[in-house]
Amino acid sequence: MGFTSENKPEKQITMGILAHVDAGKTTLSEGILYTCKAIRKLGRVDHQDAFLDTNTLERNRGITIFSKQAECTLGEFGITLLDTPGHVDFSAEMERTLQVFDYGILVISGADGVQGHTETLWRLLSRYQIPVFLFINKMDQPGTDAEKLLEELQSRLSEHCLNFSQDLQNAELLEELAMCDEDVLEQYLETGSVEEDQIRTMIAERKVFPCCFGSALKMEGVTEFLKILDRFTKTP
C-alpha cells in the first residue's frame, strides 16, 4: 500500500498527545508505540524507563517537560507522535508544538474527570482548530463510570463528544453523529445510515469528538483506540 522508496508510508499525520498532569499521557504514548511495534518493550513512567521521557530531570520527576516525538506506522498512515508537557508550567513550549498538529489526542483520567487544565488545553485546541480524539484513561480504577464521564465531557468540553467505544452501527450513536451536521442529518433521515467518510470529515472539521475508554497501564482499550484512529483520520 503506497510505500515510497524509503519504505515510509505516503500518508503522514502528526498527532499530539495532551493531558492534565498524571492523566497517563506518557503511558498511553508508550502503549501506542508498543502496539504499533515501534518499541519492543513497554516502559513505565514510575519505573523511569519510559521511551519518551529521556531527559534526566523528567525521569526524576516522573513528568514530561519537553515535547518529544516518535515515529510509528498505523495501518496505511505514518504517524509522528508528539508527547507534550502536561504540566501547566510548560505551556509556552506546548503552545508552540500545538501549531504543527494535524490531530490531537486528549487524555483524561477516568478517576479525576475534567480538570481545570483539561479545559485550558481544550481552549487551546479550539484556538488552533485542531481535531481531537479523546482517550478516557484509568477506567480500571474502582468507581469509574463511563456514562457519567461522557456526560461531564459533553457538558464541560463539547456536546459533540461521542462514545466511539461502542459499536459504530449502534442506532443511538448514528443518530447522535447525524445531529452534528445538517447535510449528514438530511442523508441519515433518508437512508438511515452515516458514511464512514462523512464521519472522517466531521471529525476533521471539529464537528465530532470521538471518545474511547480504557486503561493504558493495563493495555485495555488501546488497540481499539488505535483502530478508531486508523479508521477515522484523514491526511490533511
Side-chain angles (χ1 to χ4, degrees), residues 170-192:
N170 177 314
E172 197 182 329
L173 178 60
L174 286 178
E175 200 170 298
E176 289 173 336
L177 281 164
M179 300 289 282
C180 296
D181 182 283
E182 278 177 37
D183 296 339
V184 176
L185 179 59
E186 218 167 286
Q187 183 213 299
Y188 174 72
L189 293 172
E190 277 173 33
T191 64

PDB file of all heavy atoms in Angstrom, residues 170-192:
ATOM      1  N   ASN A 170     -24.342   1.153  16.032  1.00  0.00           N
ATOM      2  CA  ASN A 170     -25.323   1.433  17.079  1.00  0.00           C
ATOM      3  C   ASN A 170     -26.241   2.585  16.644  1.00  0.00           C
ATOM      4  O   ASN A 170     -25.786   3.676  16.330  1.00  0.00           O
ATOM      5  CB  ASN A 170     -24.506   1.804  18.328  1.00  0.00           C
ATOM      6  CG  ASN A 170     -25.360   2.187  19.506  1.00  0.00           C
ATOM      7  OD1 ASN A 170     -26.313   2.950  19.388  1.00  0.00           O
ATOM      8  ND2 ASN A 170     -24.999   1.666  20.655  1.00  0.00           N
ATOM      9  N   ALA A 171     -27.565   2.309  16.634  1.00  0.00           N
ATOM     10  CA  ALA A 171     -28.539   3.295  16.121  1.00  0.00           C
ATOM     11  C   ALA A 171     -28.456   4.625  16.873  1.00  0.00           C
ATOM     12  O   ALA A 171     -28.535   5.695  16.279  1.00  0.00           O
ATOM     13  CB  ALA A 171     -29.943   2.721  16.220  1.00  0.00           C
ATOM     14  N   GLU A 172     -28.256   4.537  18.191  1.00  0.00           N
ATOM     15  CA  GLU A 172     -28.194   5.759  19.006  1.00  0.00           C
ATOM     16  C   GLU A 172     -26.985   6.610  18.610  1.00  0.00           C
ATOM     17  O   GLU A 172     -27.081   7.827  18.450  1.00  0.00           O
ATOM     18  CB  GLU A 172     -28.095   5.356  20.480  1.00  0.00           C
ATOM     19  CG  GLU A 172     -28.425   6.486  21.433  1.00  0.00           C
ATOM     20  CD  GLU A 172     -28.270   6.046  22.896  1.00  0.00           C
ATOM     21  OE1 GLU A 172     -28.501   4.856  23.190  1.00  0.00           O
ATOM     22  OE2 GLU A 172     -27.892   6.901  23.705  1.00  0.00           O
ATOM     23  N   LEU A 173     -25.832   5.944  18.411  1.00  0.00           N
ATOM     24  CA  LEU A 173     -24.619   6.672  18.022  1.00  0.00           C
ATOM     25  C   LEU A 173     -24.782   7.281  16.624  1.00  0.00           C
ATOM     26  O   LEU A 173     -24.405   8.431  16.390  1.00  0.00           O
ATOM     27  CB  LEU A 173     -23.394   5.762  18.067  1.00  0.00           C
ATOM     28  CG  LEU A 173     -22.062   6.393  17.626  1.00  0.00           C
ATOM     29  CD1 LEU A 173     -21.695   7.587  18.502  1.00  0.00           C
ATOM     30  CD2 LEU A 173     -20.921   5.385  17.649  1.00  0.00           C
ATOM     31  N   LEU A 174     -25.362   6.514  15.709  1.00  0.00           N
ATOM     32  CA  LEU A 174     -25.561   7.035  14.344  1.00  0.00           C
ATOM     33  C   LEU A 174     -26.432   8.286  14.379  1.00  0.00           C
ATOM     34  O   LEU A 174     -26.163   9.264  13.688  1.00  0.00           O
ATOM     35  CB  LEU A 174     -26.210   5.971  13.449  1.00  0.00           C
ATOM     36  CG  LEU A 174     -25.311   4.815  13.010  1.00  0.00           C
ATOM     37  CD1 LEU A 174     -26.090   3.817  12.171  1.00  0.00           C
ATOM     38  CD2 LEU A 174     -24.097   5.319  12.217  1.00  0.00           C
ATOM     39  N   GLU A 175     -27.459   8.234  15.212  1.00  0.00           N
ATOM     40  CA  GLU A 175     -28.348   9.383  15.324  1.00  0.00           C
ATOM     41  C   GLU A 175     -27.596  10.594  15.893  1.00  0.00           C
ATOM     42  O   GLU A 175     -27.719  11.713  15.393  1.00  0.00           O
ATOM     43  CB  GLU A 175     -29.515   9.006  16.240  1.00  0.00           C
ATOM     44  CG  GLU A 175     -30.711   9.901  16.069  1.00  0.00           C
ATOM     45  CD  GLU A 175     -31.920   9.336  16.814  1.00  0.00           C
ATOM     46  OE1 GLU A 175     -32.365   8.219  16.475  1.00  0.00           O
ATOM     47  OE2 GLU A 175     -32.384  10.016  17.736  1.00  0.00           O
ATOM     48  N   GLU A 176     -26.791  10.342  16.944  1.00  0.00           N
ATOM     49  CA  GLU A 176     -26.005  11.435  17.541  1.00  0.00           C
ATOM     50  C   GLU A 176     -25.025  12.010  16.519  1.00  0.00           C
ATOM     51  O   GLU A 176     -24.820  13.220  16.450  1.00  0.00           O
ATOM     52  CB  GLU A 176     -25.235  10.916  18.764  1.00  0.00           C
ATOM     53  CG  GLU A 176     -26.121  10.618  19.956  1.00  0.00           C
ATOM     54  CD  GLU A 176     -25.359   9.950  21.107  1.00  0.00           C
ATOM     55  OE1 GLU A 176     -24.316   9.311  20.850  1.00  0.00           O
ATOM     56  OE2 GLU A 176     -25.806  10.074  22.251  1.00  0.00           O
ATOM     57  N   LEU A 177     -24.400  11.127  15.717  1.00  0.00           N
ATOM     58  CA  LEU A 177     -23.468  11.585  14.682  1.00  0.00           C
ATOM     59  C   LEU A 177     -24.197  12.453  13.662  1.00  0.00           C
ATOM     60  O   LEU A 177     -23.726  13.525  13.284  1.00  0.00           O
ATOM     61  CB  LEU A 177     -22.829  10.386  13.966  1.00  0.00           C
ATOM     62  CG  LEU A 177     -21.687   9.689  14.690  1.00  0.00           C
ATOM     63  CD1 LEU A 177     -21.427   8.318  14.078  1.00  0.00           C
ATOM     64  CD2 LEU A 177     -20.422  10.528  14.656  1.00  0.00           C
ATOM     65  N   ALA A 178     -25.363  11.984  13.239  1.00  0.00           N
ATOM     66  CA  ALA A 178     -26.134  12.716  12.220  1.00  0.00           C
ATOM     67  C   ALA A 178     -26.515  14.116  12.707  1.00  0.00           C
ATOM     68  O   ALA A 178     -26.530  15.074  11.936  1.00  0.00           O
ATOM     69  CB  ALA A 178     -27.381  11.917  11.852  1.00  0.00           C
ATOM     70  N   MET A 179     -26.766  14.217  14.023  1.00  0.00           N
ATOM     71  CA  MET A 179     -27.178  15.506  14.577  1.00  0.00           C
ATOM     72  C   MET A 179     -26.052  16.543  14.563  1.00  0.00           C
ATOM     73  O   MET A 179     -26.268  17.719  14.818  1.00  0.00           O
ATOM     74  CB  MET A 179     -27.646  15.332  16.029  1.00  0.00           C
ATOM     75  CG  MET A 179     -28.820  14.403  16.201  1.00  0.00           C
ATOM     76  SD  MET A 179     -30.357  15.092  15.586  1.00  0.00           S
ATOM     77  CE  MET A 179     -30.772  16.185  16.920  1.00  0.00           C
ATOM     78  N   CYS A 180     -24.821  16.099  14.283  1.00  0.00           N
ATOM     79  CA  CYS A 180     -23.678  17.024  14.336  1.00  0.00           C
ATOM     80  C   CYS A 180     -23.479  17.801  13.031  1.00  0.00           C
ATOM     81  O   CYS A 180     -22.613  18.664  12.954  1.00  0.00           O
ATOM     82  CB  CYS A 180     -22.399  16.255  14.677  1.00  0.00           C
ATOM     83  SG  CYS A 180     -22.451  15.519  16.327  1.00  0.00           S
ATOM     84  N   ASP A 181     -24.233  17.462  11.997  1.00  0.00           N
ATOM     85  CA  ASP A 181     -24.048  18.141  10.712  1.00  0.00           C
ATOM     86  C   ASP A 181     -25.353  18.085   9.912  1.00  0.00           C
ATOM     87  O   ASP A 181     -25.945  17.020   9.755  1.00  0.00           O
ATOM     88  CB  ASP A 181     -22.928  17.432   9.933  1.00  0.00           C
ATOM     89  CG  ASP A 181     -22.631  18.105   8.606  1.00  0.00           C
ATOM     90  OD1 ASP A 181     -23.410  17.910   7.653  1.00  0.00           O
ATOM     91  OD2 ASP A 181     -21.615  18.811   8.521  1.00  0.00           O
ATOM     92  N   GLU A 182     -25.788  19.229   9.391  1.00  0.00           N
ATOM     93  CA  GLU A 182     -27.094  19.293   8.714  1.00  0.00           C
ATOM     94  C   GLU A 182     -27.188  18.383   7.495  1.00  0.00           C
ATOM     95  O   GLU A 182     -28.173  17.676   7.301  1.00  0.00           O
ATOM     96  CB  GLU A 182     -27.396  20.738   8.308  1.00  0.00           C
ATOM     97  CG  GLU A 182     -27.970  21.550   9.449  1.00  0.00           C
ATOM     98  CD  GLU A 182     -28.213  23.000   9.071  1.00  0.00           C
ATOM     99  OE1 GLU A 182     -28.618  23.242   7.908  1.00  0.00           O
ATOM    100  OE2 GLU A 182     -27.993  23.877   9.931  1.00  0.00           O
ATOM    101  N   ASP A 183     -26.129  18.409   6.648  1.00  0.00           N
ATOM    102  CA  ASP A 183     -26.174  17.577   5.438  1.00  0.00           C
ATOM    103  C   ASP A 183     -26.210  16.093   5.781  1.00  0.00           C
ATOM    104  O   ASP A 183     -26.910  15.304   5.148  1.00  0.00           O
ATOM    105  CB  ASP A 183     -24.944  17.841   4.545  1.00  0.00           C
ATOM    106  CG  ASP A 183     -24.943  19.275   4.029  1.00  0.00           C
ATOM    107  OD1 ASP A 183     -26.034  19.887   4.024  1.00  0.00           O
ATOM    108  OD2 ASP A 183     -23.866  19.779   3.650  1.00  0.00           O
ATOM    109  N   VAL A 184     -25.432  15.728   6.783  1.00  0.00           N
ATOM    110  CA  VAL A 184     -25.380  14.328   7.200  1.00  0.00           C
ATOM    111  C   VAL A 184     -26.744  13.917   7.770  1.00  0.00           C
ATOM    112  O   VAL A 184     -27.241  12.821   7.506  1.00  0.00           O
ATOM    113  CB  VAL A 184     -24.257  14.103   8.243  1.00  0.00           C
ATOM    114  CG1 VAL A 184     -24.246  12.669   8.751  1.00  0.00           C
ATOM    115  CG2 VAL A 184     -22.895  14.444   7.628  1.00  0.00           C
ATOM    116  N   LEU A 185     -27.358  14.834   8.530  1.00  0.00           N
ATOM    117  CA  LEU A 185     -28.669  14.549   9.116  1.00  0.00           C
ATOM    118  C   LEU A 185     -29.703  14.292   8.015  1.00  0.00           C
ATOM    119  O   LEU A 185     -30.496  13.351   8.087  1.00  0.00           O
ATOM    120  CB  LEU A 185     -29.120  15.726  10.002  1.00  0.00           C
ATOM    121  CG  LEU A 185     -30.491  15.577  10.675  1.00  0.00           C
ATOM    122  CD1 LEU A 185     -30.532  14.346  11.573  1.00  0.00           C
ATOM    123  CD2 LEU A 185     -30.851  16.817  11.472  1.00  0.00           C
ATOM    124  N   GLU A 186     -29.658  15.147   6.992  1.00  0.00           N
ATOM    125  CA  GLU A 186     -30.597  15.006   5.880  1.00  0.00           C
ATOM    126  C   GLU A 186     -30.471  13.620   5.242  1.00  0.00           C
ATOM    127  O   GLU A 186     -31.451  12.924   5.004  1.00  0.00           O
ATOM    128  CB  GLU A 186     -30.282  16.087   4.835  1.00  0.00           C
ATOM    129  CG  GLU A 186     -31.517  16.661   4.193  1.00  0.00           C
ATOM    130  CD  GLU A 186     -31.159  17.932   3.420  1.00  0.00           C
ATOM    131  OE1 GLU A 186     -30.919  18.974   4.069  1.00  0.00           O
ATOM    132  OE2 GLU A 186     -31.090  17.850   2.184  1.00  0.00           O
ATOM    133  N   GLN A 187     -29.214  13.227   4.996  1.00  0.00           N
ATOM    134  CA  GLN A 187     -28.970  11.926   4.372  1.00  0.00           C
ATOM    135  C   GLN A 187     -29.385  10.787   5.310  1.00  0.00           C
ATOM    136  O   GLN A 187     -29.960   9.796   4.883  1.00  0.00           O
ATOM    137  CB  GLN A 187     -27.494  11.779   4.006  1.00  0.00           C
ATOM    138  CG  GLN A 187     -27.213  10.475   3.280  1.00  0.00           C
ATOM    139  CD  GLN A 187     -25.842   9.928   3.595  1.00  0.00           C
ATOM    140  OE1 GLN A 187     -24.851  10.577   3.324  1.00  0.00           O
ATOM    141  NE2 GLN A 187     -25.786   8.744   4.179  1.00  0.00           N
ATOM    142  N   TYR A 188     -29.112  10.975   6.588  1.00  0.00           N
ATOM    143  CA  TYR A 188     -29.449   9.947   7.580  1.00  0.00           C
ATOM    144  C   TYR A 188     -30.959   9.714   7.628  1.00  0.00           C
ATOM    145  O   TYR A 188     -31.431   8.584   7.706  1.00  0.00           O
ATOM    146  CB  TYR A 188     -28.920  10.362   8.960  1.00  0.00           C
ATOM    147  CG  TYR A 188     -29.346   9.444  10.075  1.00  0.00           C
ATOM    148  CD1 TYR A 188     -28.794   8.166  10.201  1.00  0.00           C
ATOM    149  CD2 TYR A 188     -30.309   9.838  11.003  1.00  0.00           C
ATOM    150  CE1 TYR A 188     -29.185   7.306  11.221  1.00  0.00           C
ATOM    151  CE2 TYR A 188     -30.696   8.986  12.030  1.00  0.00           C
ATOM    152  CZ  TYR A 188     -30.148   7.718  12.132  1.00  0.00           C
ATOM    153  OH  TYR A 188     -30.539   6.874  13.133  1.00  0.00           O
ATOM    154  N   LEU A 189     -31.713  10.804   7.559  1.00  0.00           N
ATOM    155  CA  LEU A 189     -33.175  10.680   7.609  1.00  0.00           C
ATOM    156  C   LEU A 189     -33.695   9.942   6.377  1.00  0.00           C
ATOM    157  O   LEU A 189     -34.690   9.234   6.432  1.00  0.00           O
ATOM    158  CB  LEU A 189     -33.828  12.062   7.742  1.00  0.00           C
ATOM    159  CG  LEU A 189     -33.552  12.782   9.072  1.00  0.00           C
ATOM    160  CD1 LEU A 189     -34.055  14.215   9.050  1.00  0.00           C
ATOM    161  CD2 LEU A 189     -34.163  12.025  10.253  1.00  0.00           C
ATOM    162  N   GLU A 190     -32.981  10.103   5.264  1.00  0.00           N
ATOM    163  CA  GLU A 190     -33.382   9.403   4.028  1.00  0.00           C
ATOM    164  C   GLU A 190     -32.956   7.939   4.027  1.00  0.00           C
ATOM    165  O   GLU A 190     -33.712   7.057   3.651  1.00  0.00           O
ATOM    166  CB  GLU A 190     -32.757  10.086   2.806  1.00  0.00           C
ATOM    167  CG  GLU A 190     -33.534  11.294   2.325  1.00  0.00           C
ATOM    168  CD  GLU A 190     -32.779  12.039   1.213  1.00  0.00           C
ATOM    169  OE1 GLU A 190     -32.081  11.355   0.430  1.00  0.00           O
ATOM    170  OE2 GLU A 190     -32.884  13.269   1.157  1.00  0.00           O
ATOM    171  N   THR A 191     -31.704   7.693   4.432  1.00  0.00           N
ATOM    172  CA  THR A 191     -31.137   6.348   4.250  1.00  0.00           C
ATOM    173  C   THR A 191     -30.970   5.549   5.531  1.00  0.00           C
ATOM    174  O   THR A 191     -30.774   4.333   5.493  1.00  0.00           O
ATOM    175  CB  THR A 191     -29.736   6.443   3.602  1.00  0.00           C
ATOM    176  OG1 THR A 191     -28.877   7.138   4.529  1.00  0.00           O
ATOM    177  CG2 THR A 191     -29.754   7.200   2.295  1.00  0.00           C
ATOM    178  N   GLY A 192     -31.011   6.236   6.673  1.00  0.00           N
ATOM    179  CA  GLY A 192     -30.810   5.542   7.942  1.00  0.00           C
ATOM    180  C   GLY A 192     -29.355   5.178   8.204  1.00  0.00           C
ATOM    181  O   GLY A 192     -29.043   4.399   9.082  1.00  0.00           O
TER     182      GLY A 192
END
